[in-house]
Amino acid sequence: MYLNLLNMLKYLIIICVFAWPLSLLAQNKPLSKPNIVILYVDDLGYGDLGCYGATQVHTPNVDKLAKNGLRFTDGHCTAATCTPSRFSLLTGSYAFRNEAAILPGDAPLLIRPGTPTLPAMLQQAGYNTAVIGKWHLGLGNGTINWNEPIKPGPAEVGFNYSFIIPATLDRVPTVYVENGAVVNLDPSDPITVNYNHKIGTDPTGLERPDLLKFKADTQHSNTIVDGISRIGYMSGGQAARWKDREMVDVLTQKTQQFLAQQKDKPFFLYLSYTDIHVPRDPHPRFRGATKMGSRGDAIVQMDWITGEVINMLEKQGLLKNTLVIFTSDNGPVLDDGYDDHAEELAVHHQSGGPYKGGKYSAYEAGTRVPTIVYWPGTVKPGRSRALVNQVDLFASLASLTAQELPASSAPDSFDMLDTWLGRSQRGRPTMLEESFTLALRWGNWKWIAPQEKEAPAWLKDKKIPTGLGKQGQLYNLTKDPAEQHDVSGTYPNQAKKMQDMIGQIKQRGKS
Ligand code: NG6
Ligand code: CA
């Protein structure tokens, strides 16, 4: 009798031990492997959306995501420029560890194949992965032959499918690359690219300003493609060259194709918009959508494509099982090399919201960007003030999909899943902000490290406050969110402590 009871107890325990995780799994099933979509805008500032206070531009589609999702007010990309932020997003590592800086259009791949990456981790978790849009992380191993299969590239760092522009809208080669091959390449008209000297017979902006849609500064006055002079020289590939005004529809169509093919596996889509980076030449149907010229109209175009993607997910019945993260790669910039009147037309618009600086800047608007998480039925609508950073998406999404990260991977990425999904208000205790110097957030304290090096000459000509200086600066963002009053003189110990903390982050792996 006694033995029987013991046996029964044993079975009960066995049943419980096995059934409990199974029941958890069943409960969590829709949670553990949702589709994941990162909508990554180029150069969108904190104040550029209606849901973040803009009044001169209407962004109903993104505003809807914010209204029905979780809107962060202290969400950051890791750096105030593109390549470093993208490097961090995909590797979970601060960019300075790899000296990641803005790359030319013919630079080699910055992420070494074999490096643990967010898409590779998701592949491991059973996802089909894709990147569509701007890449700007380099391609190939050295000198790229654009007329042959181009690798390593997205495929070698974890993407099953890629349809990219290699660098930026303002850099050659101005072609799409699909799964490592230039789209529409005519072998009898091979592509050559050079970032040092002119090649081929295409006119440059300096030679033929009369051919230009808008004037440009010297750096942006090399080969003219589609009426716009670019950075760098290019010859050949006439049939392959993109048309700026058609790009939004090309990217929408590619996204549609990718989504339509998804059936059995969960998918990860990194949709990397080319808006609202310069040169801003939106489709004519968006022209005049705002009174802010092409920068405002590009924001409306960006809002449109966002709405299209959400509609596609809805039509396919995927919304409830798709985690959408909408954010930007760096803060805003108005004049970035082309004479598109962005500055003079933005008189009533604060592209950085209440924050100082913008793209290239160590001040808050350099990295504090719109950040919205949308997952109907799972993420409760609301607002979060927690300090979050894109570098944590790697570890957080690994946690969501139950993947173990090897100790050596994603050294700066922390599992902040509960915060990203709004289940917790706990933010990062500390966080680096990378620009031409390093800054550290520690709660609401902000320290901008002293920097001996000066800003590049082209940046000095702009009105952007970079935050660079031989003296460090300390701000209390609770009292002074716009970083107007440097209090390092009043709190020298705090300043020293934070400078030391930057030193420690540089030394150690995990920060
Ligand atoms: C800068 C370019 C700027 C932009 C930026 C990269 C000059 C003078 N300025 O060097 O126009 O292309 O690089 O932007 O060349 S990012 O968003 O990709 O980081
Ligand atoms: Ca950018």
Side-chain angles (χ1 to χ4, degrees):
M1 171 73 184
Y2 177 71
L3 257 183
N4 268 348
L5 254 181
L6 249 187
N7 268 340
M8 269 171 69
L9 208 67
K10 221 163 74 187
Y11 284 124
L12 209 68
I13 288 172
I14 289 172
I15 288 168
C16 284
V17 165
F18 283 98
W20 179 66
L22 277 181
S23 73
L24 257 192
L25 263 184
Q27 241 179 41
N28 279 344
K29 201 164 174 239
L31 273 184
S32 58
K33 295 276 169 76
N35 306 309
I36 299 168
V37 175
I38 297 183
L39 303 175
Y40 210 54
V41 192
D42 199 1
D43 293 5
L44 187 74
Y46 190 90
D48 279 329
L49 298 169
C51 53
Y52 281 87
T55 55
Q56 303 301 300
V57 54
H58 297 297
T59 51
N61 291 305
V62 182
D63 294 355
K64 213 157 120 190
L65 294 188
K67 186 165 169 263
N68 300 315
L70 184 62
R71 184 176 69 91
F72 287 87
T73 55
D74 208 354
H76 292 252
C77 47
T78 63
T81 52
C82 162
T83 304
S85 282
R86 285 156 200 264
F87 175 81
S88 296
L89 170 72
L90 295 189
T91 63
S93 168
Y94 283 137
F96 77 83
R97 299 200 195 281
N98 205 33
E99 293 177 11
I102 302 170
L103 293 177
D106 62 350
L109 182 64
L110 187 64
I111 304 171
R112 238 177 308 117
T115 309
T117 64
L118 170 63
M121 178 276 290
L122 290 174
Q123 271 180 338
Q124 198 72 38
Y127 280 67
N128 195 20
T129 60
V131 53
I132 296 177
K134 173 171 172 172
W135 181 241
H136 209 188
L137 287 164
L139 291 167
N141 271 329
T143 313
I144 308 171
N145 184 343
W146 297 95
N147 310 291
E148 288 177 356
I150 300 159
K151 61 180 202 183
E156 285 67 32
V157 297
F159 288 104
N160 297 108
Y161 174 72
S162 61
F163 183 91
I164 57 169
I165 72 160
T168 53
L169 289 177
D170 59 3
R171 284 168 171 74
V172 298
T174 53
V175 294
Y176 300 112
V177 178
E178 188 168 31
N179 292 331
V182 171
V183 177
N184 282 342
L185 180 66
D186 173 358
S188 68
D189 182 27
I191 295 174
T192 323
V193 167
N194 197 296
Y195 269 75
N196 298 318
H197 57 81
K198 182 176 168 173
I199 43 169
T201 52
D202 284 287
T204 66
L206 286 183
E207 291 162 357
R208 294 293 307 274
D210 57 302
L211 296 178
L212 298 177
K213 289 180 193 166
F214 19 71
K215 278 191 261 158
D217 64 16
T218 323
Q219 284 91 339
H220 293 82
S221 286
N222 303 152
T223 303
I224 301 175
V225 179
D226 197 21
I228 299 171
S229 51
R230 318 274 168 166
I231 305 177
Y233 302 92
M234 167 179 187
S235 81
Q238 291 292 344
R241 297 179 182 197
W242 73 55
K243 295 264 183 283
D244 293 74
R245 289 175 188 175
E246 290 170 6
M247 193 172 288
V248 68
D249 292 327
V250 172
L251 298 183
T252 307
Q253 199 198 357
K254 288 290 160 187
T255 303
Q256 192 147 29
Q257 279 170 7
F258 173 77
L259 291 179
Q261 285 159 9
Q262 303 315 304
K263 291 213 165 63
D264 308 324
K265 279 179 155 193
F267 62 83
F268 167 55
L269 170 62
Y270 169 42
L271 179 54
S272 174
Y273 298 173
T274 49
D275 288 318
I276 59 170
H277 196 281
V278 295
R280 305 172 185 120
D281 190 19
H283 190 278
R285 68 180 183 275
F286 299 106
R287 196 159 325 135
T290 66
K291 294 199 170 68
M292 292 199 291
S294 59
R295 185 174 187 277
D297 298 350
I299 295 176
V300 173
Q301 176 167 280
M302 175 289 297
D303 184 67
W304 176 83
I305 184 171
T306 304
E308 287 301 293
V309 176
I310 300 300
N311 285 344
M312 291 175 211
L313 292 171
E314 192 166 17
K315 271 200 197 123
Q316 283 185 236
L318 295 172
L319 268 189
K320 279 216 148 62
N321 197 28
T322 304
L323 163 62
V324 178
I325 299 165
F326 174 98
T327 188
S328 173
D329 71 336
N330 52 250
V333 61
L334 298 175
D335 169 9
D336 209 11
Y338 293 93
D339 195 3
D340 61 4
H341 308 286
E343 230 158 54
E344 57 193 87
L345 294 171
V347 268
H348 301 297
H349 180 74
Q350 296 292 327
S351 56
Y355 301 107
K356 185 172 174 178
K359 184 174 181 178
Y360 311 117
S361 170
Y363 294 112
E364 278 299 279
T367 61
R368 197 188 283 224
V369 288
T371 306
I372 299 166
V373 171
Y374 176 74
W375 189 359
T378 300
V379 168
K380 277 208 212 102
R383 180 180 69 167
S384 174
R385 290 194 179 87
L387 179 64
V388 290
N389 192 296
Q390 293 164 14
V391 75
D392 294 326
L393 285 175
F394 192 157
S396 304
L397 296 177
S399 162
L400 175 70
T401 54
Q403 297 303 296
E404 289 249 342
L405 290 187
S408 59
S409 69
D412 300 302
S413 191
F414 289 118
D415 176 5
M416 301 287 295
L417 183 65
D418 283 347
T419 309
W420 279 97
L421 298 185
R423 297 172 188 153
S424 159
Q425 288 287 323
R426 188 180 59 90
R428 260 187 165 249
T430 62
M431 181 191 85
L432 272 192
E433 296 178 4
E434 302 196 57
S435 58
F436 290 95
T437 182
L438 292 176
L440 182 76
R441 283 281 304 275
W442 185 14
N444 259 348
W445 285 101
K446 162 91 173 261
W447 167 249
I448 302 178
Q451 173 69 265
E452 286 297 324
K453 270 194 270 163
E454 294 193 1
W458 56 264
L459 185 52
K460 279 198 201 154
D461 296 341
K462 297 187 195 291
K463 292 177 199 145
I464 299 168
T466 58
L468 288 183
K470 295 199 167 67
Q471 303 285 323
Q473 300 162 55
L474 183 70
Y475 296 97
N476 178 345
L477 298 180
T478 307
K479 290 189 185 149
D480 178 24
E483 294 165 285
Q484 299 295 313
H485 309 288
D486 172 14
V487 292
S488 55
T490 320
Y491 301 101
N493 291 341
Q494 180 76 10
K496 185 176 175 313
K497 209 163 169 182
M498 289 181 76
Q499 181 62 27
D500 291 348
M501 285 163 90
I502 292 182
Q504 286 155 18
I505 291 172
K506 282 174 145 179
Q507 296 289 317
R508 315 192 287 264
K510 282 270 182 191
S511 45

